[in-house]
Amino acid sequence: MKVSQSFSLVQREVTVTAPDSQESKQGSAELCVAPWKCKNQWCQGCSKHLMAVFRDQFRPIVNEWSFGQMITLTVDPKQFDGPEQAFDFFRTDRTIAKLMQQLRRKGVLIGPEWICVLEFQKNGWPHWHILVHSKFIPVQLIREGWRYGRIDITKSCQFKTHGHAFNYLTKYIGKFENSAVPGWVLRRARVRRYSTSRGLKVQATRAMVEE
């Protein structure tokens, strides 16, 4: 798998040593090209590389799904003090993971695989796009696990292929031009922009071993 490397211009100080002399002095700073290595999913440079790896790893699996549904979960600002407090609540409570487990127990998911992408609205509030392996999900079942805002479901018939659905979902990864990423997200570590179920990770690992 060949993926292009992202680079950045960084400033470094140059040390100059005169010939036949043990003395050295600091020279002026110069610009040099260095690869982005922070591996932060919100980094403008690293995100493009990580997105390419993510797509290559999971697209072949999603393309094999018999059906797919896209769920979008938004947050009602009246229920929380602010966007950061809402995000912390959902992450600590593992709300989305619990919702997926509940839907699986109800028998509406064909398999345990799902992909979730976090995005922020212009007002700074988070919402999630979740691609699941399912033919039909009654909205009332989702409402049992998500009572915090609006629910939208995009049916698989609205996508040309399952790959189309996957591309539609992952277009949010690496999109910076029109996205409003709050400052608290950039300042904090390990705020995942995208995540997958354990079942999908297992399938991807098996596929890599078989190759």
Side-chain angles (χ1 to χ4, degrees):
M1 179 175 61
K2 185 177 180 181
V3 180
S4 60
Q5 173 69 57
S6 297
F7 293 87
S8 123
L9 283 176
V10 298
Q11 195 174 48
R12 68 180 181 183
E13 196 172 59
V14 181
T15 301
V16 179
T17 303
D20 303 325
S21 173
Q22 295 181 354
E23 295 183 359
S24 61
K25 60 180 180 179
Q26 301 297 325
S28 59
E30 69 174 8
L31 290 177
C32 63
V33 179
W36 254 300
K37 294 182 180 180
C38 70
K39 297 183 180 180
N40 188 317
Q41 294 180 352
W42 299 96
C43 170
Q44 189 168 0
C46 290
S47 65
K48 295 179 180 180
H49 168 74
L50 295 174
M51 175 186 63
V53 174
F54 180 84
R55 284 179 170 170
D56 289 344
Q57 187 176 14
F58 294 107
R59 182 192 283 114
I61 300 175
V62 175
N63 286 344
E64 296 298 323
W65 288 6
S66 52
F67 297 94
Q69 296 271 307
M70 179 85 73
I71 304 172
T72 299
L73 305 175
T74 58
V75 181
D76 180 3
K78 297 179 181 178
Q79 297 192 36
F80 298 91
D81 294 333
E84 187 172 4
Q85 291 76 11
F87 174 81
D88 286 338
F89 169 81
F90 296 126
R91 182 165 70 171
T92 303
D93 182 66
R94 299 183 66 251
T95 308
I96 293 179
K98 290 180 180 178
L99 173 61
M100 295 299 104
Q101 292 173 2
Q102 178 180 331
L103 294 179
R104 188 181 179 189
R105 287 195 297 266
K106 295 290 185 179
V108 295
L109 299 186
I110 298 174
E113 308 89 4
W114 51 269
I115 300 173
C116 180
V117 171
L118 168 65
E119 190 186 23
F120 291 91
Q121 298 172 326
K122 293 182 179 180
N123 60 9
W125 285 85
H127 64 277
W128 292 264
H129 302 276
I130 310 169
L131 184 63
V132 297
H133 192 185
S134 175
K135 183 177 181 180
F136 174 74
I137 304 177
V139 68
Q140 59 268 25
L141 292 183
I142 302 177
R143 178 62 63 187
E144 292 178 7
W146 185 263
R147 302 180 299 276
Y148 310 102
R150 183 175 174 180
I151 299 171
D152 291 308
I153 302 178
T154 304
K155 298 180 180 179
S156 57
C157 60
Q158 295 178 253
F159 296 107
K160 297 178 181 179
T161 63
H162 301 112
H164 179 203
F166 181 82
N167 290 336
Y168 179 86
L169 176 70
T170 56
K171 76 175 184 179
Y172 298 103
I173 307 173
K175 184 181 71 172
F176 281 88
E177 293 80 1
N178 299 318
S179 63
V181 182
W184 60 266
V185 175
L186 302 177
R187 291 190 297 268
R188 295 173 58 169
R190 298 184 179 180
V191 176
R192 293 185 179 182
R193 193 168 194 178
Y194 49 91
S195 57
T196 67
S197 63
R198 183 176 301 176
L200 194 63
K201 292 178 182 178
V202 170
Q203 288 193 39
T205 301
R206 288 176 179 172
M208 293 177 62
V209 172
E210 291 176 357
E211 291 179 358

